[in-house]
Amino acid sequence: MATTVDELIVRIKADTKGLEKSLGNLKKQVSDIEKSSSGSRGIGGLAVKLRALKGPAMAAAAAITAIGAALVPIVKIGMAFEDLRSSLSQVFGGANAGKAAFKEIQGFAAKTNFSVQDVTKAFIQLQSAGIQPTEELLMNFSDAASAAMNPLEAFNALVRITTRSAGGGLGLEELEQLVNQGIPVYTILE
């Protein structure tokens, strides 16, 4: 997560450099107009100078629009993480327990190819089914999923099957989900 946030900050700073440059140019041209309008032919001279500002003003407006467009995904990501943290707090029985779980999730996600969001969803599903989502359990899922064609789908299938088996609902359909992900369940069971 820290890498993603750092990357977003770098992108925002890069996007704002253009805005800062455009605003600096605009400020300089306004200053030039103020200086020259006292010696020009009144309103006609001012109109000519204002037309000269059109290009930099449009560039500044475009830069502001680009920054706004860059901020929307960042805000959405922040809201999604807050929703996940809230769910963790509810499932784990309080804000402190939710924070501790989120810290575990970040540590596990850093060791695997799965995102914090994917691991958080797995934690919530397992805990909701009454299964303690330990790092050992999730690492077993991760290791098994790494051999599949689509590791994320296989990881999610393992989480779903584990939660269903806790309720006594494991059947052939669930085993077929693993086979479809390239995990040789029937060979393992033999």
Side-chain angles (χ1 to χ4, degrees):
M1 182 173 133
T3 306
T4 304
V5 172
D6 293 340
E7 184 179 313
L8 292 173
I9 289 171
V10 168
R11 285 185 188 169
I12 290 171
K13 285 186 178 183
D15 288 344
T16 58
K17 283 193 189 259
L19 174 63
E20 289 172 3
K21 183 178 179 184
S22 295
L23 289 176
N25 289 342
L26 186 61
K27 186 176 180 181
K28 183 181 180 298
Q29 289 186 5
V30 167
S31 176
D32 291 346
I33 288 172
E34 287 175 352
K35 289 177 188 174
S36 67
S37 67
S38 59
S40 67
R41 293 187 222 150
I43 294 185
L46 182 60
V48 169
K49 296 293 184 181
L50 286 175
R51 274 188 232 116
L53 285 176
K54 181 180 177 184
M58 290 179 71
I64 290 169
T65 302
I67 289 172
L71 289 178
V72 168
I74 294 168
V75 171
K76 285 182 180 178
I77 289 169
M79 288 171 45
F81 273 105
E82 282 306 311
D83 288 346
L84 291 173
R85 284 187 186 138
S86 176
S87 296
L88 282 171
S89 295
Q90 289 175 350
V91 170
F92 282 88
N96 289 336
K99 280 184 183 180
F102 193 69
K103 193 171 187 173
E104 285 182 52
I105 289 167
Q106 288 175 312
F108 178 77
K111 296 176 190 173
T112 65
N113 292 333
F114 303 114
S115 71
V116 171
Q117 187 174 13
D118 295 328
V119 177
T120 302
K121 289 177 183 177
F123 252 66
I124 292 168
Q125 287 176 326
L126 291 167
Q127 184 69 26
S128 295
I131 301 167
Q132 182 64 34
T134 63
E135 184 172 335
E136 180 182 358
L137 176 65
L138 292 173
M139 195 54 80
N140 286 335
F141 290 169
S142 176
D143 291 345
S146 67
M149 294 174 279
N150 185 336
L152 178 59
E153 282 299 315
F155 181 79
N156 289 333
L158 286 164
V159 170
R160 276 192 312 274
I161 290 166
T162 303
T163 58
R164 285 186 188 156
S165 68
L170 183 61
L172 190 57
E173 183 179 326
E174 286 78 18
L175 295 176
E176 285 296 320
Q177 289 179 18
L178 294 176
V179 170
N180 290 338
Q181 294 303 321
I183 300 173
V185 174
Y186 299 119
T187 305
I188 292 169
L189 290 175
E190 284 178 13

